[in-house]
Structures are given as C-alpha cells and as structure tokens.
Amino acid sequence: MAAANAQYYATRDPLGRAGDFVTAPEISQMFGELVGLWAADLWDRAGRPDVDLVELGPGRGTLAADALRAMAKARLRPPVHLVETSPALRAAQAARVAAASWHDTVDTLPADRPLLIVANEFFDALPIRQLIRAGDGWRERLVACQDTLFLPIAGPPVPDAVIPAPLRDAAPGAVLEVSPAAVAIVRALARRLVAQGGALLVIDYGHEGPALGDTLQAVRAHRYANPYDLPGEQDLSAQVDFTTLAAAAQSEGATVWGPVEQGEWLVRLGIDARAAALARARPDRAESIAADRMRLVNADAMGRLFKMLAVAAPGWPAPAGSG
Ligand code: SAH
C-alpha cells in the first residue's frame, strides 16, 4: 500500500477541481495566509531569530505561496525547504515558490537554526498498518493478490503487548491502525526542535486515540472508492491519530499544544476579519469568499474533522490558536 501511494503522487497533480480531491489551501488563500501569520507571530514572540521555513508534502505549493506573502508583511522572509518526493508536484511547487530547496526526507533539513515546520494533509498520506482482531487474538491485516484482484486477509498473529491495554479485548473484526512512518517523522522533527528551536504545525483530518476503526480510504475524482482497487491510481489516506503523534513528540522532550479543531483554530487566528477584508476589496466575490470560509470552518464541512496539533521546542512561546 505504501508503494501504491508513492506511485500515485509521483505521476500526477491530484489536487483541485479537475483532480481527485481538494485541500484547504486550494479552497481559499485565507488558509495559507493564516498559517503564515501563525508562524510570523511565533517567530516575533520568540525574539525574531534567523529561522528556516519547512513544509512537508506541499502539494501545488499554494499554502507556501500564501503563507510567505503573509509572513513578508510581518517582515519574516525565511529560506524555504520543501520535503516532497513527487517529481510532478515538485514542478508545480517550483512554479509558485521562488528559490526553495527540495528534500526527499526530513533527514537533510538544515541543522543549525530554528525550524518553522508546516504539514497540511501530509501525515494522512503516509503508510499505515492495520491490526485486526480475529477469533483467536490480534493479527496483522495483509493484502493478498489473486490474478488482478487485491483483497485484505488476516496475516500472522501479533503479540497482545503491541495493542493498547484498553483495546485488547475488542470484539472480533475490530481494526486498530498504526503508522510507524508518521511516528518516526514526528520523533525526528521533535528531536530537531529540541536541539535547534522552532515549532511544527500538523494539520490533518483525524481523531484523538487510542481508538478502533478502519479509516483507510481511497478517493478518485472526488468520490470514495475501494482502497483495494487500482493500486497507484487513487489517493489513499487514513485518519491521523493525534494522541499518538503528540506522545511521540513529548517522548523526545518537545512541548505539545492541542489538537484544536480547524474551525476553532481559524476563528482564533482571525479568519473572520480576513474574510471581511477580502470581501471589501472584491465585493463581486463576497458570496464565494463567505462560502469558502464556511467550508473551512463549519463543523459539518472541514471545521471539526480537521485539527491542528502544535509542537514546539521547550522554552518557545505558546503558539497562537492552541488554547
Ligand atoms: N499539503 C498539500 C498537499 C497534500 S497531498 C495541500 O494541502 O494541498 C500530500 C502531499 O504529500 C503531496 O505533496 C505528496 O506528494 C506528498 N507526500 C506523500 N508522501 C510523501 C512522503 N513519504 N515524503 C514526502 N512527501 C510525500
């Protein structure tokens, strides 16, 4: 499944109305601008040190472009580092963000200065493992291939010790998801924040765990599809377990805030004032600006399912929006 998603992103730009799905920065410039102001405010209260801006999985580069424009108004003009594996999306990012450096992984990011790191819908795209409760205990779910058909099967048993105690006695059929890849990246970044200073903002759809549930989903042309169909041709993602990521960051000595629901966070950062200013500048677009704001903020759209988790170096000020 990991290889399927790498192949998917490597070969296309999946974002926007003509693609497979739409993300928050593609809905409205307000999203990236407020993320940029979050970073600029933190940088200002940290005493305006020399910093680098990092984005993980920047898609088309829209969030970075909007954030950098807002940061520049606050006199923050950091060097930009984009962690991206897809050649197709690197080309799209280069068209929107002048003078960035690209990285295949977080390992090659600069190690000498504080980092302000942003990740929107990056962690949901990383590979997961599913553990399934069978009649005789927990097993890892594997994918079998029969001719051209892929399907989930129960694989070898896993020791009970790897299942969080409150979930061990779940009913047969229960599924537990883990993402060792996501945990490893958060730990590596938290270690850097502790050593170098700075902060990380994880924005994604997800929940506070530990929780059971099969959340693996495939999206193609704005519709849900069977995740076992057409490997490499549809977007695969799974809900982010914010509790596990927060614990991973704390285990490295970093401080965490949240998660806070996206709607609440955007209101705290000032989306209403920004929407009003944009509507004053473009009265002909007032209705669509209001609709975009509702899509980002409302609980029945993205406002509740999507969340912001902030991680910072000890001694750094509390990031805006988190409490
Ligand atoms: N942040 C963007 C795009 C989200 S889609 C937005 O909000 O619009 C997921 C992004 O993560 C894509 O840019 C994809 O190519 C990238 N990506 C997925 N897996 C990755 C990995 N293992 N390493 C680096 N980038 C990855």
Side-chain angles (χ1 to χ4, degrees):
M1 292 310 238
N5 229 24
Q7 166 73 8
Y8 171 79
Y9 281 108
T11 51
R12 74 203 72 213
D13 171 355
L15 294 153
R17 280 177 232 286
D20 287 325
F21 59 98
V22 178
T23 56
E26 301 298 333
I27 292 173
S28 168
Q29 69 185 79
M30 296 186 283
F31 191 82
E33 288 170 348
L34 293 174
V35 170
L37 292 179
W38 173 90
D41 166 70
L42 190 62
W43 164 77
D44 181 52
R45 287 185 292 117
R48 304 193 161 215
D50 284 337
V51 294
D52 287 292
L53 178 70
V54 176
E55 188 178 355
L56 312 179
R60 288 179 169 170
T62 308
L63 187 155
D66 292 336
L68 286 164
R69 201 176 55 248
M71 285 178 190
K73 295 210 164 150
R75 300 186 189 285
L76 172 56
R77 293 184 183 82
V80 180
H81 297 267
L82 304 178
V83 179
E84 175 62 71
T85 41
S86 160
L89 289 172
R90 278 190 183 199
Q93 292 153 20
R96 285 177 185 80
V97 184
S101 317
W102 278 268
H103 301 258
D104 289 325
T105 72
V106 300
D107 299 338
T108 54
L109 291 172
D112 51 343
R113 309 199 294 182
L115 303 175
L116 296 175
I117 311 167
V118 176
N120 186 59
E121 293 214 47
F122 168 76
F123 285 99
D124 69 31
L126 296 179
I128 58 161
R129 290 174 183 274
Q130 288 188 334
L131 307 173
I132 181 157
R133 172 78 201 207
D136 57 353
W138 287 89
R139 291 171 175 266
E140 178 162 6
R141 178 176 266 182
L142 300 179
V143 180
C145 177
Q146 286 177 347
D147 301 324
T148 56
L149 188 70
F150 293 87
L151 71 178
I153 58 164
V158 294
D160 264 5
V162 306
I163 310 294
L167 305 179
R168 258 172 225 162
D169 291 330
V175 169
L176 174 68
E177 295 176 341
V178 294
S179 180
V183 168
I185 291 174
V186 167
R187 286 186 81 127
L189 294 176
R191 251 191 321 270
R192 278 170 174 278
L193 296 178
V194 171
Q196 296 170 227
L200 158 68
L201 185 65
V202 177
I203 310 166
D204 227 308
Y205 81 110
H207 58 270
E208 297 187 52
L212 296 169
D214 177 354
T215 74
L216 179 67
Q217 71 174 32
V219 172
R220 184 176 168 82
H222 304 275
R223 286 168 195 267
Y224 292 111
N226 178 347
Y228 300 99
D229 283 347
L230 301 172
E233 296 295 317
Q234 10 185 53
D235 180 63
L236 295 178
S237 67
Q239 287 207 13
V240 167
D241 171 357
F242 284 101
T243 310
T244 297
L245 296 191
Q250 279 167 329
S251 75
E252 297 290 343
T255 312
V256 304
W257 285 270
V260 173
E261 291 176 2
Q262 174 171 300
E264 179 76 39
W265 191 93
L266 289 171
V267 168
R268 288 179 185 167
L269 267 286
I271 194 171
D272 294 330
R274 186 65 187 131
L278 287 174
R280 272 197 304 278
R282 289 291 303 273
D284 56 311
R285 291 202 57 235
E287 258 177 53
S288 75
I289 292 165
D292 294 344
R293 181 206 157 278
M294 288 202 292
R295 208 165 150 197
L296 295 173
V297 168
N298 282 11
D300 58 359
M302 297 179 78
R304 177 161 293 161
L305 179 58
F306 282 76
K307 297 171 182 71
M308 275 64 172
L309 176 75
V311 177
W316 269 57
S322 291

